[in-house]
Every structure is written in structure tokens, then in C-alpha cells.
Amino acid sequence: MNAIAEKCRKVDPTDPTQGQSDTIVQLVIALALGLSAFIGFCFLRPRWKGLYAARKQQRDSADSLPVLPDTLFGWIPVLYKVTEQQVLASAGLDAFVFLSFFKMSIKLFSVMFFFALVVMAPINKRFRYLPPWGDGGDQEPTIAWYNHPQLTNMSWSNEADNDDGSKKFILPEISYLWAYFVFTYVFTALSLYFMTNYTRRIIRIRQDYLGSQTTITDRTIKLSGIPPELQSEEKIKELLEKLEIGKVENVTICRDWKKLDDMMDKRASILRRLEEAWTVHLGNQASVANAQSRVIRRSSEDYEEDESNAHESGNLLGQSHVTPYEQPRPTTKVWYGFLNLTSKKVDAIDYYEEQLRKLDDKIIEARKQQYKPTRLAFVTMDSIPACQMAVQALLDPSPMQLLAKLAPAPSDIVWPNTYQPRSSRMIRSWTVSIFIFVLTLVWLAPVGGLAGLLNLCSIQQVWPEFAKLLERHEITKALVQTGLPTLVVSLLNVAVPFLYDYLANMQGSISQGDVELSLISKNFFFTFFNVFLVFTAFGAAGKFWPALQESLKDTTKLAYRLAESIDALAIFYTNFILLQGVGLMPFRLLEFGSVALYPIMLIGAKTPRDYAELVQPPIFKYGFYLPTAILVYILCFVYSILPAGYMVLFFGLIYFVLGYFIYKYQLLYAMDHPQHATGGAWPMICHRILVGLGVFQLLMAGYIALHKSFVAATLIVPLIPLTIWYSYFYARTFEPLMKFIALRSIRRENNADFNIVDEDIGAERPAEHIRRESTTVDESREKGQKFVNPSLFVPLEKIWINGQKGSNDDSTNRGAQSPDPLGRQASTESSVSLGDTHIWRENGDNNV
């Protein structure tokens, strides 16, 4: 038997010194990566404010935030002092909830780390289980206490020699396992305590925040399952008012606007091509500086002058073929004839302007037409209490009919999905779910391969020469066995969310907020199932099916399998958290993806519109970052009591501390979050924490039972149904307050210092609940919005060249009037022609 095989036979995965060299190597790599990224960010931050302070520069909601100093580290204390009230005022509820999860984890794991270091670490150092391994696996589990001088006079059940010749005494099972039992209960209680306290706090703040604002979203319901006999605005209004819920302010029935939406998409494409043609003709005079300039608003006098001088300056932008510019007019190839087999080159500017003119005429006519209604409508009530009563009540005795739910924000709605039949959305949703299930099985191959790299014995079986090479080079072995798997798993956690984001958008959700919540769910399923359960319980992909079949036949097998392998993977998960927190987290500050893509996008940018899009703040998506954070939370719990617990908790604490400050900076200063979920991610976080608690309890029961302490293991089992009951209790008690606004929380507009119940009895609200003087971020971004498909009324953008953009707020567009209830568009437009580029405006109104 060779040396590697002999070492594999004697290896003890519970040995606290096992894998320390791997962790040291990983720590050096993580520190090198993290510190270089952090120092690089501190150096580049004041120099690239267009990227690293994009939100502060371009979003009015960030104006109230303190200005960060341009010194190397001076921004850190200023960011630390930004309060939760400022986070709410600037970034909204979703950011507040996201950061609250990190704050809760910091407090919880600080307490757990103390107990793990002070109590469990000494116990685990003195007592160490030797679980049954070897070929037969029949050896009785025992406890080893190495050369303890105070126990020399005790009766030993067995005696063996250590490798160094000293005696190793084997004790029968004693009360050691009861420490595991006690701390399983203690840590479970701590988790539920912190989760409940933070839930109550978030509910209180959310109710006060939403109850003190007035937005059209807070007064609007999404009414689905509308029967054919009620598919008109007048009938829906009459029905709801008969129910005496409240007065209806407006009803918008979603109609089949596909034809109109397609024309608007086509128009946007033609407009871009026209802008590219003009940019080529005029020369690339556009620059990033021009693109960053504010939108130019032209007054009505300017347009009167344009109209009066239209003939004098005719063809200002496009005289047929006589131009003052040195660059020739660009051409484009047009296909025509039988099966579009014939082509010819034409003047690109003339061609696209004519295409745009014809399409504008079609859009104007399309806005006047009547479209087929669907079973979905948005109903705006006259007050928030009326809206809340409608969504919390059953409106119709028939199943699946007249279902009222809270409406998403107008800017959050995916309008093409509103006129998709419910059956079509269901088919798309199930298709995506089935595809993700199949994809989960596909991930087994790479995940199983990575699991094989963790064990030198597995490498020995597949590639003996490579195993011998690794055995001779300790650092290379650490890099291959620990560094490479953790890096690949981390890269999977970065890459897979992009695929799942695309799939979530294909499911047919009505709002982008629903898409993001779906993305959180999908990515967590990947990280939890593939990165944790499959990696831990089933090992290599070839063992997955036999292990799964065995576990399905007897669920206790899963607990035993987890217990058998969890110690062996302690170093891997420790290094995984270390790399995620210390090594990769600072790279999020650098926005490496945006920096890497910027040169590529810059090369492809041609028009001022392209340059303007380059400097927009990147989008912060919680579904990309939250699942990994929840997985780290679960890993900290799983290992909290085991010998590696203090190391896992220490690096987990570092992960959440760094994550809190880095994400706080990005959410407030660097990145934008246009979605509007009003903190809807918090119940998802809590339910997944409870799943992790269940796994932790199941694992500890199996771990203790594996070592024949059946009484302690049996006493842990009641924790599992208790956690399931708490999940049900949480859903019934707390979730409604995370979804709805309590009527008592709603403030009347004419007396903001009292809520509607306390006002009747003359009781003033506490000072911390008094309505804020300024508007909320939701009120600011929803000002002037309506629940109407933008294709029906949005002003038709005009060409944007030389860094100057036609404003959507001026009178330069046709068809900019609000639609009538039937989805038709009245028309009182007039046009002004500047050569071949048409500038349209509405009579008598410069602000549409």
C-alpha cells in the first residue's frame, strides 16, 4: 500500500489541526486580493466619481447624504455615521431591509462566536470524536482524551499508541455530547430571538414609513380574474363602490396593446439608427461630457421661432444631398422585391427619417383605436384605507374571480405581461421551473467534480501521478484542494445569477419587484442545494443517485450522511467564507464588471444617447448578493458547535461586517435600485433562515446519534417540528404586516401628526412616528405617474445629436395626450417641420 493510501486510511477529519496549512494559504490569497481591491478603490474613488459616486451625482434622492471626503480613508467614518433614517430617506425600504439582515447577522454571530470560542472550543480541543471509518465502518464510536494527567487513575476501556509512541486512552461515551445538545437549543433560541426582534422592528418602521406617505401605488389595487360582463371601466367602478369599500378614483383595464408596443419598440430601434446616421454624417462630435449634460428644455417661444423660420431654415438637419459637412452622407442597403432578394443602397438619413415619419403616423392612429380588454385591471381608490380594505377582503364568492392584490409601482410594471393570458403566464412559469430543475441536475457534474478535488484520496483513485505530485508540494496541494474549489464555487455564485435573472424575466411576472424576489428564490435554491446539500451530503456526482435513493427510502440516512461528511468539509467551507468575505467582497466596491465592460461599450458607443447610457448608475440587484449571504448565515450555524465552529463564525462575522459597509456604500452612493418591493425580501430571508435552522438541527441530531448518544439525539428531534411550527406562526402573524399597511398606521393628509384611529380619541403619536417633513423616496419617484401603458401617452422622442436631446417635457411630440378609458387617444396635434426631421407638439400645452 502506498503512502497516500496509508495516509488516507489514518486520516482524521475531526482533527482541529487538519487543513490548517490550507487555511493559511487561503488567508494569504484572500488578503492579497482583498487589500489590493480595497486600496485600489480608495485610490480611484475620488478620481472616477462618475462611476463610484454615480448615484450621488445623478439622483435627487441622494442629495441629502453627506459628501464623502476625497482623502484615501476619510470616507469610511463619514459612511459609518450615515443613520438608518438617512438610508430610508435616500434608498428606501428595500435597502433598509437588506442592510438590516447584515446588522442582525453581525449581532447574532458576535454572541455565538463568544460562546463558540470560550465554551465550545476548549471542549472540542480536549474531547474529540473518532467516528467509525475504515473498510467496514463497524468500529464503535469513542471519545479520545490525549494524555490528560488527571485521569491516570481511571479505568480505561481501551488503550492505544499514538504515532509518537505516547499513550492514547479511549474513553467510553460520557456527557461530552450533552454540550452539543445544550448549545443546539441555545443557538436556535438566539436565532429565533434576533429574527423575531428584527422582524418586529422592520414591521414598525415599514408601517410608519408607508403609513406616512401618499403615493398612487398605495391607493391602487391590481384586480385580476375579471369576468367578461365586467370588463369595462364603468362597471368595475360601479361594482366596487356598491361594495362600500370606498370611492374609485380611476380604473385602467389592461388591454391587448401588443401591436402598439411593438410599434414603439420598432420606433426606438429606428430612432437609434437615425441618430447613428447623423453622427456619422456630422462627425463624432458627441462626447461623454456632452452626454452627461442635463436635458435641454426648449420654451414655446423657441418653437414659435422655429415655425416662423421653418421655410427660411428649411432642411436644417437634412437637405437632400447638399450639405455643409465634409463627411459624405451615410448609406444603407434596402432589400425589396420577390422574397426581398433585390437590394440597393439609399441615403440612410432620408430613409430612416421617412421610416420614422410613417411609423409616427401609424402610432398616432394606433393610439386612437380600441383594444380588446383582458381580465386584469388597475383600480385607484380615493384613499389608502379603502385600498387596504379592498386587498384584505374577499370581493367575490366565485373562486379565481375578482382577486384584489396590491399593485406594483407604475414604473415597475412589465406592461407586455399584463395582457398575456393567465394560462400563458402559468405555462411560462412552469416551463422555467422545470428547466431550472433540469439545470440543477446538470450542475451535479461540475459540483461533483469539485467535491472530488477536496480529497487527496479521490484524486489518488483517478490520477495517481497527480496525487503524488500534490503530496510532494504542500502549497500546491492547498491551492488545488482548497483554493481551486472555493474559487470555482465562488465564480459559479457570480455567473449563475445572470442566467437565473434571464429566466426570472421570462416567467411573465407583472412587475420587476416580483422578478427580483423570484431571482432571490432561484439563486438561493442553487446555492443551498448544489453548493451545500449536494456538495456535503452526496459528494461526487456519481454518488448522487444512490445516495438520494437511499435517503428517500429512509430520511434518517440523510442526517447520518450529513453528519459523516460535515467534519471533512469544515476546512473547505471555512475557506469558502474566507474567500467570499476577505478576498472577493472588496471587489464589489470596484464594480469590476462595470469597469471591465466600460471599454467594450465605449468602443461600440456612437451617439450621445449611447454615451449617456454609459454614465448611468449601475443597477443593484438583491438577487445577486442576498442568496450567498444567506448561505454564509446557514454555514455559520451548521458549524457553530463543531470543532471548526469558532473559525467559521469568525470569518462569517468578518463577511457580514465588510458586507454591511460595502453594500451600504453601493446602495447610497454608487448604484441604483429602481425596483419597488417595499421590503418584501425580509419574509423570504426569514423563511430561508428557518430552513437553515432545520438543517442545523437535523445535522446535530444525526451527528450525536452517529456517536451512539441516542438520548441526546432524540431530545434534539423536537426542535425540528418546533421550527416548522414557528415558520407557520411567522407566516400567519408577521407576514401580513410585511405585505399590507395596517389601517391604524395610516395618517390622514390634513393632519400628519395623528393616525386615523388616535385622531378620534385625541391621542398624539409618539415623536418618532410623526410624519417626516420631506417626502419619501417613493413619493419623489412616483410623482405624476399613472397606471397607464406608456405606449399610449409617452411623448415620441425626437432625434438626439451633438449632445443635445429633445425633452419629453416640451411640446415636441405627437400623441402625447392621456388616453380615454377605452384605450383610445384623442388628437389635437400640429406639426412643425425642420427639414426632414419632424418636431411635433400639442396645441396649447408645453408640459405633457
Side-chain angles (χ1 to χ4, degrees), residues 413-631:
I413 297 175
V414 184
W415 287 100
N417 291 337
T418 61
Y419 48 77
Q420 293 290 335
R422 179 180 175 84
S423 58
S424 175
R425 295 201 304 270
M426 292 294 293
I427 292 173
R428 290 169 63 180
S429 178
W430 278 104
T431 301
V432 170
S433 299
I434 294 172
F435 181 76
I436 288 177
F437 175 75
V438 174
L439 196 61
T440 300
L441 301 182
V442 173
W443 291 126
L444 293 179
V447 171
L450 289 173
L453 287 176
L454 298 179
N455 192 343
L456 191 63
C457 304
S458 299
I459 300 175
Q460 161 73 17
Q461 295 174 1
V462 178
W463 193 353
E465 294 79 8
F466 186 54
K468 292 178 182 178
L469 176 64
L470 295 179
E471 181 66 17
R472 292 194 300 267
H473 301 84
E474 192 68 26
I475 295 179
T476 306
K477 185 178 72 170
L479 290 173
V480 171
Q481 287 192 265
T482 305
L484 181 60
T486 53
L487 178 61
V488 174
V489 169
S490 299
L491 292 178
L492 274 177
N493 280 341
V494 172
V496 169
F498 287 96
L499 173 60
Y500 284 175
D501 182 37
Y502 171 78
L503 294 175
N505 280 280
M506 294 298 292
Q507 277 191 288
S509 299
I510 299 298
S511 71
Q512 286 297 332
D514 293 338
V515 171
E516 187 156 40
L517 295 179
S518 176
L519 179 61
I520 294 173
S521 179
K522 288 175 173 59
N523 284 336
F524 174 78
F525 177 75
F526 166 77
T527 57
F528 181 72
F529 183 79
N530 288 96
V531 177
F532 176 68
L533 285 183
V534 173
F535 215 87
T536 304
F538 306 117
K543 301 178 182 179
F544 173 75
W545 285 115
L548 180 60
Q549 291 172 356
E550 190 177 327
S551 300
L552 291 176
K553 291 177 182 178
D554 184 0
T555 54
T556 59
K557 295 289 186 181
L558 178 62
Y560 280 117
R561 186 168 292 276
L562 282 168
E564 288 173 348
S565 60
I566 200 70
D567 264 330
L569 292 171
I571 297 300
F572 167 76
Y573 284 125
T574 301
N575 293 340
F576 172 76
I577 298 173
L578 170 61
L579 181 64
Q580 286 287 324
V582 179
L584 299 182
M585 186 67 76
F587 272 93
R588 301 202 185 281
L589 282 173
L590 284 175
E591 298 178 34
F592 188 76
S594 299
V595 174
L597 290 175
Y598 184 83
I600 300 174
M601 298 176 65
L602 185 62
I603 293 173
K606 298 178 181 179
T607 68
R609 191 185 302 274
D610 295 334
Y611 285 108
E613 291 173 352
L614 283 177
V615 297
Q616 292 299 311
I619 302 299
F620 189 95
K621 293 190 176 183
Y622 298 118
F624 279 52
Y625 313 118
L626 191 54
T628 301
I630 300 175
L631 177 64

Side-chain angles (χ1 to χ4, degrees), residues 804-841:
Q804 296 186 358
K805 176 187 176 184
S807 170
N808 284 347
D809 294 329
D810 60 27
S811 54
T812 65
N813 300 282
R814 294 191 290 176
Q817 293 183 344
S818 299
D820 68 2
L822 295 179
R824 297 170 297 184
Q825 182 74 22
S827 177
T828 57
E829 305 91 352
S830 64
S831 65
V832 178
S833 177
L834 294 182
D836 294 326
T837 299
H838 292 268
I839 302 178
W840 296 87
R841 77 165 175 268

Side-chain angles (χ1 to χ4, degrees), residues 181 199 289 299 465 527 712:
F181 162 78
T199 298
S299 64
E465 294 79 8
T527 57

Side-chain angles (χ1 to χ4, degrees), residues 208-239:
D208 180 66
Y209 181 91
L210 296 179
S212 66
Q213 70 178 14
T214 302
T215 68
I216 188 172
T217 302
D218 296 324
R219 295 185 290 112
T220 304
I221 64 174
K222 183 185 71 176
L223 194 64
S224 58
I226 303 172
E229 63 272 13
L230 292 177
Q231 289 179 0
S232 74
E233 283 77 0
E234 294 79 8
K235 291 181 180 179
I236 293 175
K237 180 178 181 180
E238 181 181 357
L239 172 67

